Amino acid sequence: MLDHSLGVKDWMDEIMERLDLVAFDVRIIVIHGMGDIMNLQKKLLFDILKVSYTNLSFVDEGAHLIKRRFHGKKILIVLDDIDNQDQILRLAGDPNWYGGGSRIIITTRNIEFLVNEGEDDKMNWDDALQLFCERALGCAKPPPNYVEILEKVINALGRLPLALNVVGSTLRGKCKSTWENVLYKLKKVMNEDKTIAIKYWDVVFGYPTEIEVKILTRMSLIKIIDYDELWMHDQLRDLRRDIVHLESCNIRLRGSRLWLPKDAFHLVQRKKEFARLVNLRFLQLDHGNFQGDFKDHFPQIRWLSWSNCPSKFLATNFGLENLAVLELSRKNITKDWGGWHQIMLKVLKLLDCPSFRKTPKFSTISNLERLILRCNQLRKTDKSIGFLQHLDYLEIFSQELSVLPHSIGNLVNVKHLILSCWELQKLPDSIGQLESLLELDVRHTSLKVLNLGHSRISELPRTIGMLENLEELSASCEHLEGEIPSEIGALSSLKILDLSGRCFSGLPTTIKQLTNLQKLNLWDCRSIQQLPELPKSLRSLSFSLELLTTNPDFSNLTNLVHFYIIGTTVPEPNIEGLLRASALRKLTLWLQQLSISYADPQSLTRLPSSLQELTLVDVQAPIDWSLFSNLENFSRLIIERYLLGEIRFDGFGKLRNFNELMMFDFPLLKILPVLPCQKEIQHLYLRQFPHLTEIQESNLSNLQNLKRLDFNQCESLESVLGVPKSCELTASYCPRFKKDG
């Protein structure tokens, strides 16, 4: 015997928690499920205050009385079967009407008036997982051997709390085979695909019907669960069937609908009557065939569902010009089936067709918007699939398909691509051209390479961790943002990870679990502020240092061979950590600005050729100017805190773009010798040279392009000779300085 109270206790617990009778605030609780104002106002006033208001004449007067007489009182009000907001306003009004601790409970079968656009009553995945695990397994997280089937059951239940409670409790203590049976039954009771139904209704009624579906959902007459599957309340279904059955009996099988097979069979036997069904919109067949000329027959048919369809299609002129949905299942359908060339439609769905090894040419059904191929034996998809320019949903389920045609990249309007193909190891590179792609589900594949290219995917799904065979992942898609899911750490076979050029905010700490990862590309990832510990297996690392707030520690990367860094402004790199990377053979810094402490000159052996600006700080040893020989774009040198009494620029070389030299805080220097690249320098700036007394005359007279000369806090400097006449000379806080007269 079914215990109808199963799972109800949890709902009661949640309601009691929301009521929180100890709290002093006023709370309104709405209970929603399948399941005259003035008179109610009078009843509310009488039941609680024992006062009769027989002369209450209008609704607003009643609302005013309720507000005045109940003010400050702690009350409990239950409003049952409310269906519009006005009823709540007139009966319960505002929480401020009542005293602290009051509770107002509202039950309704229609939350249309309460739900904002886009709201959903499904649980989020984490909560649904925890709830179902607790009910079915008695724990918060599933054991590894239950993860896959548990996910399928939760998806089949649509993450609906009551369904999770009931089904989970039923499975408590049951063996895995029982779980499989329950999952099979859940799939069998699915009524239909919501999107397919809407496309059918759109054609029937001639206008978009999705808003009506939302209204029915909020009235609890139907539910939309995962994978867009539509559920109808069984009582509503049975009621409608009873009405249709009585209607059919009373008017001699001429009712608007026939759902009993025997009634439909009797009608088909009467060929003339069947041919007269000019308003037929939906036809479901099991076996049977069409034979003869069907010109002008069934002009209004929109949906044909045909199981056990024969291999030979005997009809002619079977245009069915208004057909929107064609479902074919089981038996003998092949690529050569005669119906392909006679039917135009928007939705094609093939289920369990064992002879369907290759798809037909899609040129004759190029208006398809939704294509679902769930055929285990499908081995090849015709390249003409690229002609389906209206396609927005593509689903392929096969245990034999190993390759997809390159032309799939032409499906520029596809938003959802669902692939459950166990033998599929690689997606064609053209997959990156799917610029409208919002959802890519490739969990049930053997993919080794996944390239998302230029798709519109905005985030990587948590299910990415299920691609246990994946060796290469390129997620350098323009719209990817947010955080990379921690589940990426489960990709134990991953060798190459390319996340370049994207705006995601960071990497998860689980990335260190990728023990086979050899190449990590983080070029132009402008939002990353810090890097977690990276896997020791890395041999190649490329990244930008735009917003890093802390210097990353690479000391564990003992297998690193190639290291590439790019950035505009970079803090001092962790040289000591890099020196521990014993396998390092190539270090490439693609920088424009770099600041380096020169306290230990032995740690600096080469500068990046792209460098434009360099700051050397805390110079305590002579500078090796040969490091500058390869800097073709170098233009600006800043030396800050030079702690030696002498400086020489021998070996600086000729740098054609070098034009600015800035030197700060030289506490010991007395004489400034011959400068580097004299003809190229345009700006010379000296600050905090307390003991500087002389600048060699040849220095300045040879600076033919010098435009600006600045001295600041050079207390001992009295004069300089040979300053070009076109140069602007400024001296600040230099008490002894006199310009060359």
Side-chain angles (χ1 to χ4, degrees):
M1 179 177 179
L2 178 63
D3 181 3
H4 292 281
S5 66
L6 201 61
V8 174
K9 181 180 183 302
D10 299 287
W11 282 101
M12 292 175 61
D13 291 343
E14 183 178 351
I15 292 172
M16 293 306 294
E17 181 180 348
R18 291 175 182 267
L19 285 171
D20 191 4
L21 300 179
V22 178
F24 191 69
D25 58 345
V26 177
R27 299 188 178 188
I28 298 177
I29 312 297
V30 178
I31 301 174
H32 166 241
M34 290 186 169
D36 166 6
I37 299 299
M38 198 177 297
N39 288 333
L40 288 172
Q41 287 176 334
K42 292 177 181 178
K43 181 173 178 58
L44 182 61
L45 290 164
F46 178 78
D47 286 352
I48 297 179
L49 300 179
K50 304 302 180 185
V51 178
S52 176
Y53 288 90
T54 55
N55 60 343
L56 194 63
S57 56
F58 55 94
V59 172
D60 286 340
E61 181 184 359
H64 177 72
L65 280 170
I66 291 173
K67 176 181 179 181
R68 180 165 57 87
R69 295 301 302 269
F70 285 99
H71 184 71
K73 289 184 171 59
K74 181 179 179 180
I75 63 163
L76 169 65
I77 300 177
V78 180
L79 304 177
D80 187 34
D81 201 17
I82 298 298
D83 59 11
N84 69 71
Q85 200 166 33
D86 185 64
Q87 292 174 325
I88 297 177
L89 293 175
R90 304 302 185 186
L91 295 170
D94 189 275
N96 293 328
W97 288 10
Y98 309 108
S102 294
R103 297 294 182 264
I104 302 163
I105 300 175
I106 299 168
T107 69
T108 179
R109 288 176 293 177
N110 178 11
I111 57 168
E112 176 70 20
F113 66 98
L114 292 175
V115 178
N116 294 323
E117 188 66 29
E119 287 186 355
D120 201 334
D121 61 352
K122 293 193 293 187
M123 300 181 77
N124 66 55
W125 174 259
D126 291 334
D127 289 342
L129 177 64
Q130 181 176 345
L131 174 62
F132 193 75
C133 284
E134 288 175 351
R135 296 298 175 268
L137 300 169
C139 56
K141 293 184 178 180
N145 59 328
Y146 271 83
V147 170
E148 184 174 355
I149 189 170
L150 187 139
E151 177 187 311
K152 291 178 180 179
V153 173
I154 292 176
N155 285 330
L157 293 171
R159 303 203 307 269
L160 301 172
L162 183 57
L164 295 170
N165 261 307
V166 174
V167 176
S169 299
T170 330
L171 290 172
R172 186 69 173 265
K174 300 296 191 298
C175 63
K176 204 169 180 181
S177 61
T178 304
W179 284 57
E180 296 283 358
N181 291 335
V182 169
L183 178 61
Y184 176 77
K185 291 177 181 177
L186 286 172
K187 290 182 176 179
K188 292 293 285 184
V189 300
M190 300 303 179
N191 285 345
E192 58 197 52
D193 183 295
K194 181 205 77 170
T195 307
I196 294 178
I198 288 176
K199 289 187 181 295
Y200 165 70
W201 291 323
D202 289 350
V203 174
V204 169
F205 296 108
Y207 62 87
T209 57
E210 188 160 4
I211 185 64
E212 277 84 355
V213 174
K214 288 184 178 179
I215 292 173
L216 291 173
T217 302
R218 291 173 181 171
M219 293 179 68
S220 299
L221 296 176
I222 62 175
K223 280 191 178 295
I224 309 299
I225 67 169
D226 277 4
Y227 305 113
D228 268 356
E229 285 164 328
L230 187 151
W231 277 14
M232 179 187 293
H233 196 293
D234 55 356
Q235 293 180 355
L236 181 66
R237 178 201 63 197
D238 294 341
L239 174 63
R240 184 57 182 155
R241 284 180 174 178
D242 288 342
I243 294 173
V244 169
H245 183 56
L246 290 173
E247 179 186 78
S248 301
C249 294
N250 291 336
I251 58 174
R252 298 180 183 177
L253 298 178
R254 293 184 182 178
S256 59
R257 293 164 181 81
L258 297 175
W259 69 270
L260 282 178
K262 64 176 184 179
D263 291 343
F265 185 67
H266 289 159
L267 183 64
V268 172
Q269 283 184 315
R270 305 172 184 177
K271 296 181 181 179
K272 291 184 178 180
E273 282 194 28
F274 185 59
R276 292 172 184 166
L277 298 179
V278 293
N279 293 318
L280 184 65
R281 294 176 177 173
F282 175 84
L283 177 60
Q284 182 174 357
L285 295 177
D286 187 359
H287 291 88
N289 204 343
F290 293 91
Q291 185 173 358
D293 189 344
F294 277 79
K295 186 178 181 180
D296 300 328
H297 282 61
F298 309 133
Q300 299 301 320
I301 195 167
R302 304 304 204 276
W303 190 328
L304 174 58
S305 179
W306 194 355
S307 60
N308 292 299
C309 173
S311 58
K312 291 187 177 180
F313 189 74
L314 304 177
T316 57
N317 296 316
F318 198 74
L320 302 185
E321 58 188 27
N322 291 310
L323 188 67
V325 181
L326 175 62
E327 288 182 306
L328 301 173
S329 59
R330 300 195 294 275
K331 288 292 182 181
N332 303 312
I333 292 294
T334 68
K335 70 178 182 67
D336 299 317
W337 184 63
W340 300 129
H341 307 291
Q342 299 192 47
I343 299 175
M344 297 293 292
L345 61 152
K346 293 185 176 181
V347 178
L348 175 60
K349 187 173 183 179
L350 271 69
L351 305 176
D352 190 21
C353 301
S355 300
F356 193 72
R357 307 293 175 87
K358 180 182 177 181
T359 65
K361 294 188 181 300
F362 291 98
S363 53
T364 58
I365 46 177
S366 57
N367 289 323
L368 274 181
E369 297 176 7
R370 195 172 180 90
L371 177 59
I372 300 172
L373 305 173
R374 298 176 187 167
C375 303
N376 272 336
Q377 306 304 315
L378 179 63
R379 296 178 180 175
K380 187 174 181 180
T381 304
D382 193 85
K383 63 181 181 180
S384 61
I385 194 171
F387 295 153
L388 303 180
Q389 295 296 296
H390 301 284
L391 201 68
D392 63 15
Y393 181 97
L394 174 59
E395 178 183 340
I396 302 178
F397 179 100
S398 170
Q399 294 184 357
E400 300 290 339
L401 186 69
S402 59
V403 179
L404 286 174
H406 182 80
S407 61
I408 201 169
N410 297 331
L411 303 178
V412 294
N413 288 308
V414 163
K415 297 178 181 177
H416 306 274
L417 179 58
I418 316 296
L419 300 173
S420 296
C421 306
W422 279 260
E423 295 299 318
L424 188 63
Q425 295 187 5
K426 183 179 179 180
L427 294 177
D429 293 338
S430 62
I431 204 78
Q433 301 170 18
L434 301 181
E435 58 188 37
S436 300
L437 192 63
L438 299 175
E439 177 191 8
L440 175 62
D441 189 340
V442 289
R443 283 173 289 176
H444 304 294
T445 65
S446 298
L447 276 185
K448 292 186 177 180
V449 178
L450 177 56
N451 187 346
L452 300 179
H454 303 291
S455 69
R456 297 185 65 85
I457 291 180
S458 60
E459 62 179 16
L460 288 177
R462 290 190 303 271
T463 52
I464 190 73
M466 300 180 67
L467 301 178
E468 57 185 25
N469 297 307
L470 196 64
E471 295 180 0
E472 180 177 345
L473 171 59
S474 175
S476 58
C477 39
E478 179 181 354
H479 301 274
L480 185 65
E481 56 187 15
E483 291 190 354
I484 301 298
S486 60
E487 286 78 3
I488 200 172
L491 298 178
S492 57
S493 301
L494 196 65
K495 295 179 180 178
I496 299 174
L497 177 58
D498 183 0
L499 300 171
S500 57
R502 303 290 59 91
C503 297
F504 60 87
S505 56
L507 294 174
T509 57
T510 55
I511 195 170
K512 66 181 179 182
Q513 299 172 12
L514 301 177
T515 55
N516 286 306
L517 190 65
Q518 297 181 15
K519 183 176 181 179
L520 176 60
N521 188 349
L522 301 173
W523 279 139
D524 204 21
C525 295
R526 301 182 183 91
S527 300
I528 294 183
Q529 296 187 1
Q530 60 183 10
L531 289 177
E533 181 180 345
L534 299 175
K536 185 178 180 180
S537 58
L538 273 181
R539 296 176 57 83
S540 175
L541 173 61
S542 310
F543 70 98
S544 305
L545 290 168
E546 296 288 343
L547 295 178
L548 280 188
T549 56
T550 58
N551 284 322
D553 183 4
F554 304 114
S555 58
N556 70 313
L557 303 182
T558 55
N559 294 301
L560 196 64
V561 176
H562 297 146
F563 190 18
Y564 306 86
I565 305 177
I566 188 172
T568 54
T569 303
V570 180
E572 178 183 339
N574 190 335
I575 300 295
E576 182 180 355
L578 286 177
L579 290 176
R580 295 179 191 170
S582 56
L584 191 62
R585 296 291 180 271
K586 185 175 183 181
L587 171 61
T588 302
L589 301 174
W590 291 352
L591 309 176
Q592 293 179 357
Q593 300 174 7
L594 178 64
S595 177
I596 295 178
S597 171
Y598 203 74
D600 179 14
Q602 301 299 322
S603 65
L604 184 62
T605 58
R606 190 177 181 186
L607 293 172
S609 59
S610 60
L611 197 65
Q612 296 179 15
E613 177 181 319
L614 174 65
T615 300
L616 296 177
V617 183
D618 288 332
V619 179
Q620 301 177 29
I623 300 172
D624 180 4
W625 297 111
S626 65
L627 293 172
F628 293 73
S629 60
N630 67 321
L631 305 184
E632 296 181 359
N633 299 310
F634 191 66
S635 62
R636 189 184 196 196
L637 173 62
I638 301 171
I639 303 175
E640 185 173 351
R641 290 196 299 279
Y642 187 87
L643 303 178
L644 301 175
E646 182 183 19
I647 184 170
R648 300 185 67 86
F649 294 98
D650 298 343
F652 193 91
K654 298 293 183 181
L655 302 178
R656 59 184 181 182
N657 291 311
F658 182 70
N659 57 54
E660 187 170 3
L661 175 61
M662 306 180 74
M663 297 186 286
F664 305 149
D665 193 6
F666 280 53
L668 303 178
L669 192 71
K670 295 181 179 181
I671 299 176
L672 188 65
V674 176
L675 296 172
C677 305
Q678 293 175 333
K679 294 182 180 180
E680 285 77 18
I681 291 181
Q682 298 179 18
H683 184 195
L684 177 61
Y685 185 20
L686 283 71
R687 187 180 75 185
Q688 289 180 274
F689 280 66
H691 299 292
L692 181 67
T693 59
E694 180 185 351
I695 299 178
Q696 293 182 0
E697 180 179 354
S698 60
N699 265 353
L700 300 181
S701 60
N702 289 326
L703 298 180
Q704 301 174 5
N705 294 312
L706 189 65
K707 297 180 180 179
R708 185 174 176 182
L709 175 60
D710 289 315
F711 296 106
N712 190 306
Q713 300 177 47
C714 299
E715 291 91 342
S716 302
L717 187 66
E718 295 183 1
S719 64
V720 292
L721 300 175
V723 178
K725 293 183 178 180
S726 59
C727 175
E728 178 185 349
L729 173 61
T730 303
S732 304
Y733 304 103
C734 303
R736 299 184 181 183
F737 184 76
K738 295 179 182 179
K739 292 185 179 181
D740 182 11

